[in-house]
Amino acid sequence: MILCCGEALIDMLPREAQDGSPAFAPFAGGAIFNSAIALGRLGAPVALFTGLSTDLFGEILVRELENSRVETGQLARSDRPTTLAFVTLTDGQAKYAFYDENTAGRMLDTSHLPELSSDIDALLFGGISLIAEPGAETYAALAARAAGDKLVMLDPNIRAGFVQDEARYRARLDAMLAGADIVKLSDEDMDWLGTDPEALFAMGVAVVLITRGADGVDAITPEGTRRIAAEPAQVVDTVGAGDTFNAGFLAGLHKDGLLTRAALRDASLELLTPAVALGTKAAAITVSRAGANPPWESEL
C-alpha cells in the first residue's frame, strides 16, 4: 500500500450564480489529496493520512476519496474546520487566499501519527502541508520514522509565497530530503533549495525526477540521466498535473514490483522508464480537462 501524507482541502473556485452575481463553488483538492485520488483511480492500493474535519466540507473530501478507491482508515478526524482556499483570477492568473488557522489539517500533531504497519510499502510527502506548523512537523516526524525502512518519495513543490519562517522550513526540507529515496523537483524548486541531483545523491537519494512540462521528465540516478518525453496533450489547465505524475510513477513502481527500497535502489534506468512514462501519460490526460481530474486505469 502507498500512504499519501499531506493536505486535503477545499478549493473555492470563482463561478457565476444564476442571477449573474459572483459566487464560489467548493471543489475537493490539495496536492497530496490529488495524488491519492489518482493512485486509487490507477488501481494502486492507497490510503491518505491527513487531518480531516467532520464538517460538511470534510464529508465532501471523504466521499471523493471513497469514490476513487482510497482507503480512509488512516484519516485523523476532528471537529476543527476544513482548510479553504479561495481562488480569484486576474488576467487569467490564479491568486489564492487561504483560511487555515486552527483547521483540522494544520493542527495535526504527533499523537495522530499512524502505525507504519507491514502492509505500507511506500509513503508520499509534499505540498503546502510541509509549510504550516504544527502539521508540517508532524509529517516530518512521520517521514523520519519511515526513512531507511519504507520507500519514501518527496515532492517539495515549493510555494515560497506561503512560507513565513524560511529558516525552519528549509531545515525541515533538508531533513526530509536526507531521508527520501525519490525526490521530484522542478528547476524552480532546485534553484530555491540551492541543490542539484549530485548533492541529493550525496544525501542518500536514489532517484531524482525533474519535471520539464511539455519537454518531459528527466529521470536521474547515479547511473545517468534519461529524458522521457511528455505525452502530447491539448492543455485545458495544468491543475494537478504534477500530483498526477507522482501518482502515476508510484503506481508504475507498484505494477512492476519496484515499490521497495531495495528494489528501487537496484533498478536500472531502463527498469524505471515504464513508471516514469505512466506518470507522464496520466498527467497528460489530467491537463487535457478542467481541474484536478486524474484518469482511471481504463482511460490509459
Side-chain angles (χ1 to χ4, degrees):
M1 176 188 293
I2 300 162
L3 184 62
C4 295
C5 311
E7 76 269 17
L9 51 82
I10 294 291
D11 287 318
M12 302 295 289
L13 302 183
R15 294 293 185 266
E16 188 175 281
Q18 289 185 344
D19 64 0
S21 60
F24 287 92
F27 288 85
I32 298 298
F33 176 90
N34 293 338
S35 292
I37 292 290
L39 277 160
R41 293 184 181 186
L42 292 173
V46 59
L48 178 67
F49 169 62
T50 192
L52 202 67
S53 179
T54 54
D55 66 13
L56 66 99
F57 295 121
E59 291 306 312
I60 290 174
L61 291 163
V62 169
R63 284 197 300 273
E64 291 291 331
L65 292 168
E66 292 175 342
N67 289 341
S68 293
R69 306 184 295 200
V70 180
E71 292 189 21
T72 58
Q74 303 280 17
L75 296 174
R77 305 296 301 273
S78 75
D79 61 1
R80 293 181 182 275
T82 297
T83 298
L84 302 180
F86 281 81
V87 183
T88 55
L89 297 174
T90 304
D91 297 327
Q93 298 298 312
K95 293 185 178 180
Y96 293 85
F98 279 88
Y99 292 80
D100 194 36
E101 291 296 325
N102 295 311
T103 59
R106 181 168 184 171
M107 301 310 292
L108 194 70
D109 63 49
T110 53
S111 69
H112 299 120
L113 287 178
E115 178 185 353
L116 292 178
S117 54
S118 59
D119 65 327
I120 296 174
D121 301 301
L123 296 90
L124 171 66
F125 296 90
I128 61 170
S129 56
L130 303 183
I131 297 176
E133 299 180 21
E137 287 293 295
T138 303
Y139 292 119
L142 182 59
R145 187 180 298 181
D149 180 22
K150 309 291 186 180
L151 185 69
V152 174
M153 180 173 180
L154 175 63
D155 176 7
N157 196 16
I158 305 298
R159 294 291 181 265
F162 298 160
V163 178
Q164 295 184 338
D165 190 330
E166 184 174 323
R168 286 182 63 85
Y169 179 51
R170 286 186 179 275
R172 184 179 306 120
L173 288 182
D174 284 345
M176 295 184 74
L177 287 166
D181 302 290
I182 306 163
V183 175
K184 199 236 15 213
L185 299 165
S186 65
D187 285 331
E188 292 80 7
D189 292 335
M190 282 196 294
D191 288 345
W192 194 88
L193 290 166
T195 193
D196 56 37
E198 289 72 25
L200 293 171
F201 295 146
M203 297 171 74
V205 175
V207 178
V208 177
L209 302 167
I210 302 179
T211 53
R212 302 191 182 282
D215 291 329
V217 177
D218 286 347
I220 309 172
T221 72
E223 172 191 342
T225 300
R226 174 169 292 197
R227 171 72 58 87
I228 290 84
E231 290 278 329
Q234 190 78 23
V235 177
V236 174
D237 70 44
T238 60
V239 176
D243 311 327
T244 302
F245 171 81
N246 293 342
F249 180 70
L250 289 172
L253 294 183
H254 169 73
K255 179 181 178 183
D256 294 337
L258 299 175
L259 201 64
T260 67
R261 294 187 76 242
L264 179 84
R265 289 173 179 274
D266 286 342
S268 64
L269 279 169
E270 185 73 27
L271 284 177
L272 294 172
T273 297
V276 180
L278 179 59
T280 60
K281 188 171 185 178
I285 294 173
T286 297
V287 302
S288 71
R289 48 204 192 191
N293 184 12
W296 293 85
E297 193 174 13
S298 59
E299 296 179 80
L300 297 174

